[in-house]
Amino acid sequence: MQRSAYCFYKGLGKTAGRRGQAAYHLHIYPQLASSESQAPQLASCRVPATKDSTTSDVIQDAVARLQLDGSKRYVLVEVKETGGEEWVLDASDSPVHRVLLWPRRAHDEHPREDGYYFLLQERDPDGTIKYLHMQLASQATATRRLVERGLLPRPQADFDDLCNLPELTEENLLKNLRHRFLQQKIYTYAGSILVAVNPFKFLPIYNPKYVKMYENQQLGKLEPHVFALADVAYYAMLRKHVNQCIVISGESGSGKTQSTNFLIHCLTALSQKGYASGVERTILGAGPVLE
């Protein structure tokens, strides 16, 4: 089961600790993703610590007070609000020293929303951390409720840019491409790269109407299309007065030649508007060289 516990710090400077040092108390509020979280003894606990107390000492004390399974491995994670930074403390680190580096407002009792706190997490046998970020989990729940109430749009069925996938894995990438392909959306962006899936049939998306639609449009504003790349390259050449290059790559039979023809068709149509003289002849003359 996933386990996580929020650890809040409160300094009590007048309490005597070991070796005569001032003692501090780490206030621990468990948030366990199991039925044990409902047990009364897990409501909260305070772990006394000094500046010499190590992370290992604090974890051992917290596990005993919370009556957790002592045979499991736990780690203490420091969370800072700046960029959501999270840092797993070494066993020899001092949690009290870490807290003293926080802003003054975070030294005494502080609410979780202030953004400075500790997490007690459980390690798997392979050493990975069973991580349950309660703030992110609560945000996901709130977002889902807003979607159900119609206050937020429902998640997209597919993404026209692979960089926008919530979780970028090979499985999700191929699933997204397949979903779009079944809707006859054969083009998908990956940033400024256009991924084309060969439909092995002609689609009516290459007529002059589409050339006009994509003319002088920002890349990504409209549905992905080979004409969009041609248009961006053409107008970049006019603005910057620098040669542009479009690289077409793929395996045999993937449709490289056909994609080249579509590019030439679009560039020829754009050049016929009088923006540049002689461009049409140059582009049409590239066909035999490419073949």
Side-chain angles (χ1 to χ4, degrees), residues 123-244:
R123 281 194 186 276
D124 280 324
D126 61 0
T128 58
I129 299 175
K130 290 184 177 180
Y131 179 53
L132 179 63
H133 197 307
M134 300 308 297
Q135 281 188 324
L136 294 182
S138 62
Q139 289 174 5
T141 302
T143 300
R144 185 173 63 253
R145 290 175 179 172
L146 290 175
V147 170
E148 293 171 353
R149 293 168 58 189
L151 300 177
L152 285 178
R154 292 192 175 276
Q156 293 178 240
D158 62 71
F159 294 83
D160 60 9
D161 191 333
L162 298 175
C163 295
N164 294 330
L165 285 172
E167 185 178 358
L168 189 56
T169 63
E170 182 178 356
E171 180 183 0
N172 289 342
L173 187 150
L174 295 176
K175 182 179 179 181
N176 187 70
L177 291 176
R178 181 177 185 275
H179 190 276
R180 290 179 58 79
F181 180 80
L182 294 177
Q183 301 177 72
Q184 297 192 346
K185 299 177 180 178
I186 65 171
Y187 294 118
T188 306
Y189 288 127
S192 61
I193 300 172
L194 183 70
V195 180
V197 182
N198 195 340
F200 291 100
K201 64 179 180 180
F202 181 79
L203 298 177
I205 57 174
Y206 304 105
N207 55 53
K209 180 183 71 174
Y210 281 85
V211 175
K212 180 66 176 177
M213 181 189 307
Y214 285 91
E215 184 179 359
N216 208 13
Q217 295 289 337
Q218 183 179 0
L219 192 67
K221 184 177 181 180
L222 301 176
E223 186 72 17
H225 199 290
V226 66
F227 287 176
L229 287 189
D231 184 84
V232 168
Y234 183 78
Y235 281 95
M237 178 184 66
L238 294 182
R239 288 194 307 270
K240 299 180 180 179
H241 302 286
V242 176
N243 293 336
Q244 303 295 307

Side-chain angles (χ1 to χ4, degrees), residues 2 28 36 81 95 137 174 190 204 233 236:
Q2 288 181 319
I28 302 177
E36 295 181 52
E81 65 178 356
L174 295 176

Side-chain angles (χ1 to χ4, degrees), residues 210-281:
Y210 281 85
V211 175
K212 180 66 176 177
M213 181 189 307
Y214 285 91
E215 184 179 359
N216 208 13
Q217 295 289 337
Q218 183 179 0
L219 192 67
K221 184 177 181 180
L222 301 176
E223 186 72 17
H225 199 290
V226 66
F227 287 176
L229 287 189
D231 184 84
V232 168
Y234 183 78
Y235 281 95
M237 178 184 66
L238 294 182
R239 288 194 307 270
K240 299 180 180 179
H241 302 286
V242 176
N243 293 336
Q244 303 295 307
C245 177
I246 298 176
V247 178
I248 303 176
S249 176
E251 296 183 355
S252 178
S254 60
K256 299 186 297 298
T257 300
Q258 194 61 43
S259 293
T260 302
N261 291 337
F262 290 141
L263 282 168
I264 292 176
H265 169 73
C266 183
L267 291 171
T268 301
L270 291 172
S271 69
Q272 288 176 341
K273 297 183 180 297
Y275 295 119
S277 61
V279 175
E280 181 180 359
R281 278 195 312 275

Side-chain angles (χ1 to χ4, degrees), residues 75-114:
V75 294
L76 200 63
V77 178
E78 177 189 10
V79 180
K80 296 181 180 180
E81 65 178 356
T82 308
E85 179 184 356
E86 299 173 7
W87 185 267
V88 179
L89 299 183
D90 291 335
S92 59
D93 284 341
S94 169
V96 172
H97 283 176
R98 303 302 304 177
V99 171
L100 293 178
L101 295 175
W102 294 353
R104 185 175 298 275
R105 62 180 172 81
H107 286 187
D108 299 324
E109 278 191 271
H110 50 280
R112 187 172 63 207
E113 52 266 25
D114 278 357

